[in-house]
Amino acid sequence: MTSKQAVAENEFTDLTAIADDLGLSRVDAPAVQRRWVNVITGGHVSGVSWGTGSAQAVLLHDARRSARAWDALALALDIPTLALDLPGHGRSNWRKDGVYTPRKLAPAVAEAIKSFAPSAKVIAGTGLGALTAIALNARHPDLVHGLVLIDTLPGTLPGRPAEGPTRFASREQALAWLRETSPWAPPEVTAADVRHETTQESDGSWTWRHHLGNLPAEDSDGLDDETLWDLLAAVAARGVPIVVVRPGTGSRLKEASLGELRRRVVTARVVTLAESTGVVESDQSLRLAELIHDVLSTFDRFQGRLA
């Protein structure tokens, strides 16, 4: 089975409202387009390209979300950016084996980055996307020049998702279920997730676009990978700037994981955004954009010393 590939003509009509909420004034609508690339691991990977020219940043979302989770951040960055749908999410194909571990996703993500953003200088990710960014270093270290890990380190992803229906009579029913099972998420985030991550079937019911929402809960464990600590340490050993961003409240990064970071990746910078309540990429997108620009500047200074 594959994900639904049809894209409504009005997919991006909500961007103006998002920009207004951020206080961003724009003369023209942002240049944004949906893209696809076939990958040798099977099927295709989809993504959203922002701006014109070669993408400088790549954004990788959490499990059960999609490239559209980054709309606010992409607008705030105001640079050429690529937001990818991880395999099994958004408009990317589902994996036949239903396995969505970071190391399994990395090859297809690497192909998409090479196709859409070969000159990208920084990868930012959260949750499953953050761990997939780390996993890229195993076989594609040439793609990892700067890392921004949002409230995620190896061994910190939540366990089995809440069991629930795979079909809903309406989007309102899906929204009610999502808000009940994710009380920590701001209402505007769950509303956007239902808007972007559900699709209507021929019988009028609604289902999740992402494969994980269509799998039995017992089949969707194992998204985390504590062995990625070794790869993260290898990234740091190459001199790659690493920034770990956590919200002021509701962070999944506890002292044990932060202590492991200090022990194994001594050069990593940890930034706490005190005003964030859990979904940094949405509620602190302007500040997060500043941090990503800092990493880009660090990369440029490093390249200047090598020149």
Side-chain angles (χ1 to χ4, degrees):
M1 180 181 288
T2 63
S3 62
K4 310 301 183 296
Q5 298 180 27
V7 180
E9 292 181 1
N10 64 346
E11 181 188 356
F12 301 110
T13 57
D14 55 351
L15 296 183
T16 299
I18 296 173
D20 289 344
D21 288 342
L22 293 172
L24 301 175
S25 58
R26 296 179 179 276
V27 175
D28 300 312
V32 56
Q33 63 174 320
R34 171 71 62 178
R35 304 177 71 179
W36 287 267
V37 62
N38 291 324
V39 293
I40 61 174
T41 52
H44 66 256
V45 171
S46 181
V48 177
S49 288
W50 294 79
T52 57
S54 182
Q56 299 180 49
V58 174
L59 309 176
L60 302 179
H61 61 83
D62 201 353
R64 303 170 188 86
R65 303 196 74 193
S66 75
R68 296 303 307 276
W70 299 106
D71 286 355
L73 178 60
L75 284 165
L77 279 171
D78 198 23
I79 57 174
T81 299
L82 171 69
L84 282 179
D85 288 332
L86 295 176
H89 296 76
R91 271 78 172 184
S92 292
N93 278 136
W94 295 359
R95 287 180 58 90
K96 292 181 179 179
D97 59 9
V99 177
Y100 293 99
T101 59
R103 292 178 188 266
K104 287 288 188 179
L105 300 186
V109 169
E111 285 192 69
I113 293 175
K114 288 180 179 179
S115 295
F116 295 145
S119 301
K121 302 172 185 177
V122 60
I123 301 175
T126 183
L128 181 60
L131 297 187
T132 301
I134 298 171
L136 287 172
N137 197 61
R139 295 187 178 182
H140 305 278
D142 56 310
L143 298 179
V144 185
H145 306 294
L147 278 180
V148 177
L149 306 177
I150 302 168
D151 204 29
T152 310
L153 287 169
T156 63
L157 293 194
R160 178 178 297 180
E163 294 190 37
T166 60
R167 287 177 182 259
F168 302 90
S170 64
R171 275 182 161 170
E172 290 74 20
Q173 188 181 80
L175 178 60
W177 180 84
L178 191 59
R179 285 182 172 169
E180 180 181 355
T181 55
S182 306
W184 47 268
E188 63 272 16
V189 171
T190 51
D193 280 351
V194 168
R195 186 167 62 252
H196 297 308
E197 313 312 334
T198 59
T199 185
Q200 192 168 32
E201 300 292 338
S202 58
D203 62 1
S205 65
W206 293 84
T207 187
W208 301 112
R209 288 187 185 277
H210 50 76
H211 198 183
L212 292 175
N214 293 271
L215 289 172
E218 61 269 18
D219 292 341
S220 57
D221 279 343
L223 301 183
D224 212 333
D225 185 351
E226 292 199 49
T227 69
L228 291 174
W229 276 114
D230 292 335
L231 285 182
L232 185 58
V235 172
R238 293 195 289 110
V240 172
I242 299 172
V243 178
V244 177
V245 185
R246 60 197 297 261
T249 58
S251 176
R252 56 189 168 200
L253 299 185
K254 308 307 179 185
E255 187 53 40
S257 57
L258 292 173
E260 188 73 359
L261 179 71
R262 289 190 289 268
R263 184 178 72 83
R264 302 187 63 163
V265 191
V266 296
T267 59
R269 176 187 174 196
V270 178
V271 178
T272 300
L273 300 183
E275 296 181 1
S276 176
T277 57
V279 187
V280 175
E281 62 271 27
S282 296
D283 65 22
Q284 290 294 301
S285 54
L286 293 173
R287 182 71 182 97
L288 186 55
E290 292 176 3
L291 292 172
I292 291 175
H293 277 288
D294 286 346
V295 175
L296 289 169
S297 297
T298 299
F299 174 84
D300 289 338
R301 289 195 298 271
F302 179 74
Q303 289 297 104
R305 289 196 297 269
L306 294 179

